[in-house]
Every structure is written in structure tokens, then in C-alpha cells.
Amino acid sequence: MAKRGQRNQSMRKRRENRAQQITLPSIDALRDLPAFEDLRLDDGQRSAFEGFLAASENADEMHLGFVVRLDRGFPLVVTEGDVFRAEHAVSFAKQNAEKDDGLLPAVGDCVAVRRAPGHDMGVIERVLPRRTSFERWRGRARGEKQVLAANVDVILIVQALGGGDVLLDRVARSLVLANDCRTTPIVVLTKADRCSEDELNRDLDHVRALVGEGVRVIVTSSATGEGLEEVRSCVPRHTCAMILGESGAGKSTLLNELLGHEALATGEVRERDDRGRHTTVARVMVKLPDGGTIADAPGLRSLPLVGHERGLALTFPEIAQAAEECRFRDCTHVHEPGCGVRALHEAGGISDERLSCYLALFEQMRASAQSLDPDIVI
């Protein structure tokens, strides 16, 4: 036992030395981080922690915490009354590799973390059950699913106005991902001050025709304050939202306005394509004044859909139901006779925007499934 303790102490020292060699923002300099009591702990997570604690050899060093920030692989964890950097245990990483469940810590995760007396850093021993897990596919045929945030309740899908047509395909992809992880999607259109009333009405018509009546659409302007209170109302206390959008969509500016001060860096947008550069470099959670918590992440240029058939069906339920009436099981809904989807569209039951986006995503997902390495398990 003494040798094991010496080994553990030596490993902790090496981790802390490695953290010191990498430039990380000072904890004291970080603002707007949520406290432990700001985040929602459910009965399943508490029960799992108690079970893990009962079997632990270091129960006196174990704490219940939440990952609120990730910088270069170093999680920042908040516990009751404390905040500190942590790594995940080597044995924990090996366990996950053997189980192939990919449960490495993500922002928003509830974790069992060990912190020995006299040490600045902790060691995450277990990721506790997730209520939700927002994931995207990263890579190609031999890629993997990347968890962007855990235990989120709402996905704020941010798209900028005034830079040409709103990217309906991007909105549709985001809806599929949000619905697949059983969160509530809300479309937030930013920079309304950049477009005329006619342009705004045109874009709004297209977006609402795509998302349908069940999805909330909010128009905002950080310059005028339009829509900000409506967005804030979507994230009440003890709920967590994730903000999703490309670089240049106005995510950081929107968050700064919701926080009431310049907490996150913002960047210029290129005129030639109305896109910005990454200004958010860490995955971070921030606490809204008198409200809930929002998780921010670097802008994502692509949202490939692999293995999200459930999300596609939940996003386009009337099309999924109509597809059951197709004469052929492998109907592409483009040219085959007896297609239930085309029949519903011709009868006015599906908007042009919804059908166009569905067909594009449906075909991409079919092609992705066929190109996957056979060893990949979705």
C-alpha cells in the first residue's frame, strides 16, 4: 500500500509539472464561471457517485464536481466551495478504452474527482451518467463521435442575418443533432440591424418554413438589444444551454450582451464570405446574471451527420411518417413511383424548404453509412 501511495503521489507531481509547463489562464482571472450550486445534479448522478464512493479506496479524497471549462485537455472542475484544474486518471482512461464508450470528460459533465491534500490539481476518476450528450462526427470513414457538451437542456442555433441567404442546410443539421440528443432546439438569428425589413421578412419566412411550428425562432441584434431578453428567458436558473454556430455568426457578441460585459473575445468578419476566425479557443461554461448557464465552444465549420437517423426522423416527423407509405423500402423520394413523401409534398403537407433540406441530409447520411469503415460502431 505504501508503494502504491508513493506511485500515486509521483504521478500527481508529474501531472502538476506538465500543467505548469503549458500556459493556462489563471483561475483567478476567469470570470462568470458557474458555481456548483448553479448546475443541476440529478438523482441518477448522485446515486452513481455514492456507489462509486462506497467502492473507492480514497473516499476521503473524493468530491462531486462539474467540468466547467476545457483548456488544451485540462478540465477545470467546480465542487462545493472549490474550483481547480484536473486530469482524468490513467486507470479510468484504460477502462473507457476497453468499454469503448468514449466517456472522457466534456464540458458540463458531472464527475467524481479525487484531490489529495496539498495538491493543486485533481484527478477525474469517473464521468457520472449524462442526461444528454451533444455529439458530432469528427473525421471520415474512420472518424469518431466527439462530445461537445454534456447535460445540456437547450441548443441555441445561431445564424447571422445580413450576409446573404440564411444557411438553411446548417440550421437543419443543427436541428437534427439537437433532436437526436433529446434537447430543445431554438434558432437565434443575430445581426438583425444589418438587413432591411424586406430582407428580414424573407429570411424569417424561409427559416420558419424549414423549422416548422414546433421550433422557436428569435431575431436579435446586439447593436439595438432586440431579442436579448427573449433569449435570456430560454435559459432560466438551473438549466444549461449550448450555443452552436459558425465562426462569425455572432456567438461571442451575443454571449457578451447576455452577460452584460465583455467577457469573451470577438473578432472581425471577412467581407468576402462574411465569415470570422475562431475567437473562442476553449470550451467554457458561463453563468448568466439571474439565469442559467450557457456552454460556448469554438465555431464549427462542419456538422457531418453520421448515425443520426433518429434525429432526422424527430426533426422531420411528417416526412418520416410519409416515407412509410412509399412503395419501395429503399425509396430515395426523388423519382420512384408510389412515393409517399412526394405525394404529401404535392398535397401541400411539406414545405419546399423542409423537403429540400430533408432530401439533402437523407442522401448524405445514406452515403456516409456506406462509406464507413466496417469496424466503426455508431
Side-chain angles (χ1 to χ4, degrees):
M1 292 293 291
K3 289 184 179 179
R4 180 187 298 177
Q6 291 174 356
R7 270 200 313 271
N8 289 341
Q9 186 174 11
S10 177
M11 289 175 64
R12 292 190 197 106
K13 286 295 184 184
R14 285 200 297 270
R15 291 189 187 103
E16 291 172 6
N17 289 338
R18 179 173 164 238
Q20 291 170 1
Q21 292 170 3
I22 298 174
T23 303
L24 297 174
S26 166
I27 294 176
D28 294 336
L30 298 176
R31 302 177 62 183
D32 306 301
L33 292 175
F36 181 87
E37 57 270 19
D38 294 324
L39 302 166
R40 180 156 63 98
L41 177 69
D42 63 33
D43 292 339
Q45 292 162 345
R46 187 180 295 279
S47 177
F49 176 72
E50 291 173 352
F52 180 71
L53 198 64
S56 174
E57 297 179 357
N58 307 97
D60 57 329
E61 299 178 359
M62 210 65 66
H63 302 274
L64 190 59
F66 286 96
V67 177
V68 295
R69 185 180 174 102
L70 281 174
D71 292 282
R72 299 186 180 184
F74 283 95
L76 187 68
V77 177
V78 294
T79 61
E80 289 186 282
D82 207 353
V83 54
F84 51 86
R85 295 280 178 189
E87 283 192 327
H88 50 267
V90 174
S91 59
F92 166 71
K94 287 181 179 178
Q95 272 186 347
N96 281 302
E98 291 169 2
K99 293 179 182 178
D100 197 30
D101 56 14
L103 283 183
L104 293 178
V107 163
D109 263 323
C110 184
V111 297
V113 58
R114 178 164 52 90
R115 192 181 188 196
H119 288 270
D120 293 334
M121 290 189 67
V123 179
I124 295 175
E125 299 283 351
R126 182 68 56 90
V127 172
L128 302 176
R130 293 165 171 163
R131 289 191 304 277
T132 61
S133 177
F134 188 87
E135 305 171 346
R136 68 145 182 179
W137 186 260
R138 179 174 61 182
R140 295 185 180 273
R142 287 204 59 83
E144 61 182 0
K145 283 191 174 178
Q146 176 191 27
V147 179
L148 298 178
N151 300 314
V152 296
D153 307 294
V154 173
I155 303 295
L156 301 175
I157 301 169
V158 177
Q159 276 285 306
L161 296 166
D165 292 336
V166 173
L167 301 178
L168 296 182
D169 175 80
R170 175 77 181 208
V171 173
R173 290 171 187 273
S174 302
L175 288 172
V176 170
L177 292 172
N179 286 321
D180 198 34
C181 70
R182 306 288 186 171
T183 59
T184 301
I186 297 173
V187 177
V188 180
L189 303 177
T190 61
K191 308 181 183 182
D193 52 286
R194 300 197 311 175
C195 56
S196 66
E197 184 175 352
D198 288 343
E199 291 171 331
L200 174 60
N201 291 334
R202 178 202 64 195
D203 288 341
L204 265 179
D205 287 344
H206 288 319
V207 171
R208 285 174 173 155
L210 167 64
V211 304
E213 295 181 358
V215 177
R216 192 171 182 177
V217 180
I218 303 175
V219 176
T220 70
S221 168
S222 296
T224 66
E226 178 184 359
L228 297 180
E229 288 304 316
E230 190 176 354
V231 174
R232 188 178 282 109
S233 71
C234 297
V235 195
R237 287 177 180 271
H238 298 110
T239 64
C240 179
M242 177 184 171
I243 190 163
L244 180 66
E246 294 180 288
S247 296
K251 300 188 293 95
S252 296
T253 301
L254 174 65
L255 270 179
N256 285 338
E257 292 297 326
L258 293 174
L259 291 169
H261 60 269
E262 295 291 324
L264 302 172
T266 58
E268 295 295 327
V269 174
R270 295 191 299 259
E271 291 185 7
R272 68 174 184 274
D273 57 7
D274 202 51
R275 289 187 175 185
R277 297 178 178 177
H278 293 304
T279 52
T280 303
V281 295
R283 296 192 181 96
V284 57
M285 301 179 79
V286 293
K287 169 71 168 60
L288 299 184
D290 300 319
T293 302
I294 294 184
D296 188 23
L300 303 175
R301 293 210 181 279
S302 65
L303 290 175
L305 299 180
V306 179
H308 293 287
E309 285 77 12
R310 179 182 64 180
L312 188 68
L314 290 171
T315 302
F316 302 94
E318 78 284 18
I319 300 180
Q321 184 174 0
E324 295 179 0
E325 305 298 324
C326 292
R327 183 183 304 175
F328 303 103
R329 292 185 61 184
D330 60 347
C331 183
T332 63
H333 318 306
V334 176
H335 55 74
E336 295 87 351
C339 174
V341 172
R342 289 209 319 279
L344 182 61
H345 175 245
E346 291 167 2
I350 308 172
S351 70
D352 293 343
E353 290 86 352
R354 282 180 71 77
L355 181 61
S356 176
C357 284
Y358 174 85
L359 291 178
L361 300 182
F362 175 74
E363 179 55 34
Q364 182 193 104
M365 291 176 66
R366 279 166 52 111
S368 297
Q370 294 171 357
S371 66
L372 277 183
D373 188 290
D375 293 332
I376 299 293
V377 177
I378 302 300

